[in-house]
Amino acid sequence: VQLVNDSGCDAERLQWLRSRAFEIARAEILGPQAKAVFEWLEDVVKVLQPTSLNEVPPAEVFFSPEDNCAHRIVQQFRRVQQQADICVFTITDDDVSEAILDAHYRGIQLRILTDNHKSGDRGSDIDRFIRAGIPLRIDHSEYHMHHKFAIFDSTALLTGSYNWTRGAARFNEENFLITHDVRLCVAFRQRFDRLWEMFA
């Protein structure tokens, strides 16, 4: 991503970089890191799409309590086709939790990261997710895992101050945005993967 941003590539240069990415992947495909190589290639190809450099997709911005934020999150889980990575401080909103569970039962690949201090709170749905078999990791630190973001199909990012709670939906002054900016999706996916390994 940094190489593309720094070099100001034209369409011909982007095509060369895409071809080079596939050459690297082909060279490694028989090795033990095949899965990681394909994930890397997926990120590279998305970044090298011509529109990603010159045209930033619009973002939608939502504010609670007036914009029915919980419903917007539920919609994202209804639309997701393959996978969603969820990294949030706490989850106590039953509507959102039901949407997560529905996605899981539809076969969507989910991963959840959350804070250890909040996972045992009254109303927390973390135990429900664990019982359902959703891959979930909790930080074990005196500090808070305070992120609030989710990535859907590696192409949509939801992030902001909004906690996934009933209080946030009904009363709090909160916000989040949904963007399809490839560079932001890649950056947040990299952070998620790093935290996922840290909390193993």
Side-chain angles (χ1 to χ4, degrees), residues 59-79:
E60 297 177 275
V61 181
F62 304 98
F63 298 95
S64 69
E66 63 266 27
D67 286 341
N68 198 357
C69 290
H71 177 68
R72 305 291 182 172
I73 296 172
V74 168
Q75 284 181 320
Q76 290 301 123
F77 283 102
R78 289 177 178 165
R79 292 175 184 154

Side-chain angles (χ1 to χ4, degrees), residues 58-160:
E60 297 177 275
V61 181
F62 304 98
F63 298 95
S64 69
E66 63 266 27
D67 286 341
N68 198 357
C69 290
H71 177 68
R72 305 291 182 172
I73 296 172
V74 168
Q75 284 181 320
Q76 290 301 123
F77 283 102
R78 289 177 178 165
R79 292 175 184 154
V80 67
Q81 298 294 310
Q82 295 180 323
Q83 64 180 46
D85 290 328
I86 306 157
C87 185
V88 292
F89 184 49
T90 184
I91 306 175
T92 64
D93 189 309
D94 290 340
D95 290 339
V96 173
S97 296
E98 288 298 328
I100 292 170
L101 289 165
D102 287 347
H104 172 65
Y105 296 134
R106 280 185 9 240
I108 303 300
Q109 296 178 14
L110 301 175
R111 295 186 295 176
I112 300 174
L113 292 171
T114 192
D115 184 74
N116 61 330
H117 294 101
K118 302 302 288 182
S119 62
D121 279 2
R122 182 178 179 183
S124 172
D125 290 314
I126 297 306
D127 284 342
R128 292 179 67 194
F129 302 142
I130 293 171
R131 289 195 304 270
I134 298 174
L136 186 146
R137 292 184 181 176
I138 300 171
D139 78 317
H140 297 286
S141 166
E142 60 184 300
Y143 307 108
H144 287 306
M145 200 302 300
H146 210 243
H147 287 297
K148 296 108 178 176
F149 70 85
I151 309 154
F152 300 88
D153 291 326
S154 297
T155 60
L157 168 68
L158 185 155
T159 186

Side-chain angles (χ1 to χ4, degrees), residues 50-61:
T51 57
S52 69
L53 296 175
N54 305 316
E55 183 181 318
V56 177
E60 297 177 275
V61 181

